[in-house]
Amino acid sequence: KQRLGNRLPGTTQDLQNMMVALIRNGVEEQDILNGVADAAAKLSVALKMPYDQAAEFAAKLRISANVASKDMEAFMDVIQRTRNLGVDTSEMAYAFGRTGLKKFGIEGIEAAKAMSALYAEILPITKSGETTGSGLSKIFGAVMDKQKMADANAMLRQYGISMEFVDQKTGKFKGVENLVAQLSKLNKFNDTDRLNIITKMFGDGEDSKIAAIIAANGIKGYNETIRKMAQQGTLDKKVDEQLKTFKSKWEATTGTITNMLAAIGAPLAEALKPAIDALGALAGYVQQFAQAYPGVAKFVGVFIAV
């Protein structure tokens, strides 16, 4: 907490609230120390999100994707990249939560990255994390059902194609990219025929609509989303940009002072309090002066800058 408070903007209490939010959402203390706290704090700064909200967001995503604490910063880096593509972070969280990835064995940092790209491709169209997550959950359930896929491939053979989503030896899902590649086989058909085939495979619910989006965009569209995400600035870069602002520097400095006073103990803290109070009073007078005489304040500011 002290290390983060000395570097990042916000008060010590803000960071304390973040830690409490992580624990409240089921994150163990060791996991907090092993990377979850750093990931949540950096996401908060990069997305200008309150620390406690970022903590809750990170904790829920970690559970949904079953990402190790040491990989959380990499995961949050991916999430902020999707945000820069216009994806709402709340809808992203709903999508992860509704899909139920763990029951399909889709978990870990690499799976989380792949799913993030898939969500980023679908959410701008559906505008709903719940719809997207529920639809994908039904799709995963269908393609991993041996009998349903046997029936589907029997139907697909009349169109000269077949699809395989599960490794025949291990019985495990072959991955998100393979899912996209298999559904991309339907791109050789026109829109009407493609939708007809998808309906036969998945029914006529939300899962068919989601599958139709994936098939229409194809592997080329999926890879383009990944490329756009890769072009976005890193989480650390976004944090550094925020830390360059005067407000952030001041908040980080005052946080450092608070930590210093806590470390050196009450006697010296009492001795320094008058000076700190005087500094606060001076800041108040300067603020009042600047508001009353904006022209003069601007001149003084330019003079100081020079």
Side-chain angles (χ1 to χ4, degrees):
K1 183 179 68 178
Q2 287 185 351
R3 177 176 56 80
L4 292 173
N6 289 344
R7 178 173 181 246
L8 302 179
T11 65
T12 303
Q13 186 61 49
D14 291 334
L15 291 166
Q16 180 65 41
N17 291 341
M18 181 187 77
M19 302 298 181
V20 171
L22 288 172
I23 294 172
R24 189 173 61 240
N25 282 276
V27 183
E28 299 291 336
E29 291 184 10
Q30 193 58 48
D31 290 323
I32 291 174
L33 296 175
N34 286 344
V36 180
D38 284 67
K42 288 183 178 181
L43 184 73
S44 169
V45 175
L47 300 187
K48 300 179 181 179
M49 182 188 296
Y51 281 115
D52 55 345
Q53 289 183 22
E56 185 174 349
F57 178 79
K60 288 181 178 179
L61 279 181
R62 177 174 174 270
I63 293 171
S64 297
N66 198 23
V67 172
S69 55
K70 65 181 179 61
D71 295 324
M72 276 300 293
E73 192 166 325
F75 187 18
M76 294 302 98
D77 177 53
V78 172
I79 294 300
Q80 67 87 22
R81 289 171 188 266
T82 65
R83 167 70 176 270
N84 293 333
L85 296 183
V87 178
D88 186 282
T89 50
S90 297
E91 298 304 331
M92 178 68 80
Y94 281 129
F96 266 104
R98 288 288 184 177
T99 306
L101 295 171
K102 285 192 284 187
K103 66 183 178 183
F104 303 117
I106 305 171
E107 50 192 346
I109 183 61
E110 294 306 319
K113 289 178 179 179
M115 287 303 303
S116 295
L118 190 62
Y119 291 137
E121 186 177 26
I122 299 170
L123 282 171
I125 300 174
T126 64
K127 307 296 184 183
S128 168
E130 292 192 38
T131 298
T132 299
S134 297
L136 281 170
S137 183
K138 292 177 181 178
I139 290 172
F140 289 136
V143 301
M144 295 182 76
D145 185 303
K146 187 178 293 187
Q147 186 57 55
K148 283 186 178 180
M149 279 314 302
D151 294 341
N153 275 317
M155 179 270 297
L156 290 170
R157 275 195 288 273
Q158 64 182 298
Y159 297 99
I161 58 175
S162 65
M163 296 185 187
E164 184 175 275
F165 301 93
V166 176
D167 188 291
Q168 296 301 313
K169 292 182 179 179
T170 64
K172 293 183 178 180
F173 181 61
K174 295 179 72 172
V176 174
E177 186 173 351
N178 177 69
L179 172 80
V180 177
Q182 295 301 308
L183 291 177
S184 294
K185 293 178 180 179
L186 301 177
N187 271 343
K188 69 178 185 178
F189 302 104
N190 60 42
D191 291 347
T192 301
D193 289 342
R194 182 168 61 241
L195 185 58
N196 182 47
I197 294 171
I198 288 173
T199 302
K200 288 180 180 178
M201 289 181 67
F202 302 109
D204 57 359
E206 292 296 334
D207 44 340
S208 287
K209 295 177 183 177
I210 301 297
I213 294 171
I214 298 172
N217 289 340
I219 194 67
K220 184 177 179 180
Y222 175 75
N223 288 335
E224 177 64 13
T225 299
I226 292 177
R227 186 189 69 80
K228 289 179 179 178
M229 288 169 60
Q231 288 182 327
Q232 304 301 313
T234 65
L235 181 60
D236 280 331
K237 183 179 179 181
K238 295 294 173 62
V239 170
D240 288 339
E241 288 173 356
Q242 291 298 317
L243 293 179
K244 289 177 183 178
T245 67
F246 177 81
K247 182 176 183 292
S248 294
K249 286 179 178 292
W250 176 254
E251 288 183 352
T253 299
T254 54
T256 303
I257 291 173
T258 301
N259 291 335
M260 176 196 71
L261 293 177
I264 63 180
L268 188 52
E270 285 298 321
L272 289 176
K273 278 184 64 178
I276 295 173
D277 290 340
L279 180 60
L282 177 61
Y285 291 135
V286 171
Q287 182 182 14
Q288 292 175 12
F289 178 84
Q291 291 172 344
Y293 305 100
V296 177
K298 181 179 179 180
F299 173 78
V300 172
V302 172
F303 177 76
I304 291 173
V306 172

